[in-house]
Amino acid sequence: MMMKSINPATGKEIKAYNEHTKDDVQNAITLAHDTFQKHRLTSFSERKALMMKAADILDSEKEKWGELLTSEMGKTYKSAIVEVEKCALVCRHYADQAEHIMQDEIIETEASSSYVKHLPIGVVLAVMPWNFPFWQVFRFAAPALMAGNVALLKHASNVPGSALAIEEIFNRAGFANGCFQTLLIGSEKVEAILKDDRIRAATLTGSEPAGRSVAATCGSEIKTTVLELGGSDAFIVMPSADMELAIDKAITGRTMNNGQSCIAAKRFIIHADIYEEFKDKMVARFKALKVGNPMDDETDIGPMALKQIRDELYEQVEASVKAGAKLLCGGDVSNGEGYFYTPAILADIPEDAPAYSEELFGPVASLYKVESLDDAIKLANATRFGLGSAIMTQDAKEIEIACRDLEAGSTFVNANVASDPRLPFGGVKSSGYGRELCSDGLLEFVNRKTISIS
Ligand code: NAP
């Protein structure tokens, strides 16, 4: 079987790759397992030197990696460069922090010495999505490798070039062959891998169905999982908000990465006193966005990554309009050969419209009008998702209530939700469980071993 890399801006094939066979996968698991026995005994300073080298490779060749990301999934080249730089940052972060995070935790008891020792657990399978082809992987791999674990990557089938590039970067950095391996396989092969005794844990970033499937298998195998799933983040704007700042954040929040971000602001919940002004300004700004060639510096929004994803978004919007929602702008798919979609805004969305309850994974903003913060929070929480949330307000009491009552893994105030290596990242409800980044991300895949010496 072949795995194809298609440029979504043109619909043309970039390259076809041979999928790995059953034997290839078995060999990779064996190599990973054997390598773990050596990698777990390396010192933090040895691992740090390798991780710093990986960061240098990312930084010094960012143009090459940036072009690869843009060609495989359509993000603008300028945002691809930012993604590569952020990967270098996360490598350096864990290179510096891992030893401190994993230090013994002394707990006084009657024993002469008692403490928690943090030990790596072994081979971790990472199932990753295409939307940030480097970042999603590096944010898992940097802490995992620094902790002494080894990784197998099953990346999304449309980004095989990125998947192999990451393996190349870790190999060139000097990590032992087998510390990080890419498996070019379809999702139907994941279950068998998870059932292999040598795989100790899994992390999945992706859709709810994929998360359920991996979690079900790992549940039956008693294996640790971290799930980073979909989101339908609320972005609340209250009357005291700085309107220009709110509009700026709303535009970047909804359109970054061509609208294909799990933590994108997706549902804009606006207080009635400022609703009309916000709506008019947002529509004007959306209409001014430049959709086109993602390599062009002037482009705001490139194509969507896959034709199927673009067509599904189109159907969700069409069905929402049929159900009674108003399409204020955009929603056009007739822009050339690539998988383009002009950024759209929906308003007056009824509860039975797909836009009300489903994640819209593309450049579509849903507007809602509310009379109070109470109503805004009720609406924000009226979803099965709970990834991030944002509120724009100057009112201290409103900030306190929003931070307490929004059901999400994070609340950002007067800012967009963002991932930062220094802060834990993850969701609640159907957005998943477990945390990435910060010390939490590293500690998800360690054995917190109790030691008691009498
Ligand atoms: P997806 O279809 O779930 O794919 C993600 C990964 O899971 C791919 O590697 C895919 O492989 C694999 N996969 C799919 N079904 C599987 C199954 N039944 N068993 C095992 N693996 C399976 O997700 P997507 O559509 O590419 O990505 C968009 C979704 O990811 C959105 O919902 C978005 O919100 C979410 N996301 C979440 C985060 C977060 O941090 N919370 C970040 C980014 C994206 P194939 O490509 O081979 O199908």
Side-chain angles (χ1 to χ4, degrees), residues 127-131 136 139 154-157 186-187 190 204-207 210 213-214 228-231 262 309 359 361 387 425:
V127 183
M128 291 291 153
W130 45 262
N131 65 339
Q136 304 291 8
R139 77 174 179 185
K154 180 267 173 280
H155 216 326
S157 296
S187 55
V190 169
L204 178 135
T205 301
S207 62
S213 169
V214 165
E228 298 286 1
L229 308 179
C262 53
I309 297 259
E359 177 184 23
F361 205 61
L387 194 52
F425 180 94

Side-chain angles (χ1 to χ4, degrees), residues 154-175:
K154 180 267 173 280
H155 216 326
S157 296
N158 56 321
V159 289
S162 300
L164 290 170
I166 299 168
E167 182 183 67
E168 178 197 322
I169 290 167
F170 283 122
N171 286 342
R172 278 175 54 202
F175 282 96

Side-chain angles (χ1 to χ4, degrees), residues 62-82:
K62 63 185 168 194
E63 291 81 7
K64 180 173 84 177
W65 310 125
E67 272 181 43
L68 173 64
L69 301 189
T70 298
S71 66
E72 274 201 319
M73 62 68 65
K75 66 172 60 214
T76 59
Y77 176 66
K78 57 193 173 200
S79 68
I81 294 292
V82 173

Side-chain angles (χ1 to χ4, degrees), residues 273-351:
D273 291 356
I274 49 164
Y275 179 83
E276 292 301 325
E277 183 187 357
F278 184 92
K279 181 182 79 176
D280 292 347
K281 287 189 162 154
M282 190 143 171
V283 170
R285 290 280 296 273
F286 254 51
K287 284 182 173 168
L289 290 168
K290 189 164 178 253
V291 180
N293 180 357
M295 289 303 293
D296 186 343
D297 221 28
E298 302 298 306
T299 297
D300 297 303
I301 302 198
M304 298 193 59
L306 293 158
K307 183 171 187 305
Q308 186 200 338
I309 297 259
R310 194 270 310 263
D311 293 347
E312 274 169 22
L313 183 71
Y314 179 78
E315 289 305 325
Q316 284 173 306
V317 170
E318 289 292 295
S320 297
V321 170
K322 272 204 191 97
K326 281 202 189 95
L327 182 62
L328 303 182
C329 63
D332 185 12
V333 292
S334 58
N335 191 349
E337 288 188 317
Y339 315 144
F340 291 95
Y341 184 90
T342 50
I345 299 181
L346 288 170
D348 303 336
I349 302 162
E351 286 188 26

Side-chain angles (χ1 to χ4, degrees), residues 330-451:
D332 185 12
V333 292
S334 58
N335 191 349
E337 288 188 317
Y339 315 144
F340 291 95
Y341 184 90
T342 50
I345 299 181
L346 288 170
D348 303 336
I349 302 162
E351 286 188 26
D352 59 348
Y356 191 90
S357 53
E358 296 173 9
E359 177 184 23
L360 299 181
F361 205 61
V364 181
S366 302
L367 297 193
Y368 296 90
K369 179 159 63 170
V370 289
E371 301 294 334
S372 65
L373 179 62
D374 208 28
D375 287 349
I377 290 175
K378 272 195 196 113
L379 184 54
N381 291 343
T383 166
R384 63 185 190 284
F385 297 110
L387 194 52
S389 57
I391 181 165
M392 307 295 292
T393 176
Q394 308 288 339
D395 185 305
K397 189 72 195 157
E398 288 176 356
I399 293 172
E400 188 189 326
I401 292 168
C403 291
R404 184 192 64 197
D405 292 347
L406 285 168
E407 295 168 1
S410 65
T411 294
F412 281 64
V413 179
N414 296 322
N416 277 316
V417 179
S419 59
D420 178 328
R422 297 164 298 182
L423 295 172
F425 180 94
V428 297
K429 297 161 77 178
S430 291
S431 291
Y433 52 74
R435 291 291 177 265
E436 291 198 284
L437 301 175
C438 191
S439 54
D440 308 52
L442 187 147
L443 294 173
E444 291 283 358
F445 298 116
V446 300
N447 174 10
R448 282 172 48 77
K449 190 176 192 183
T450 299
I451 308 291

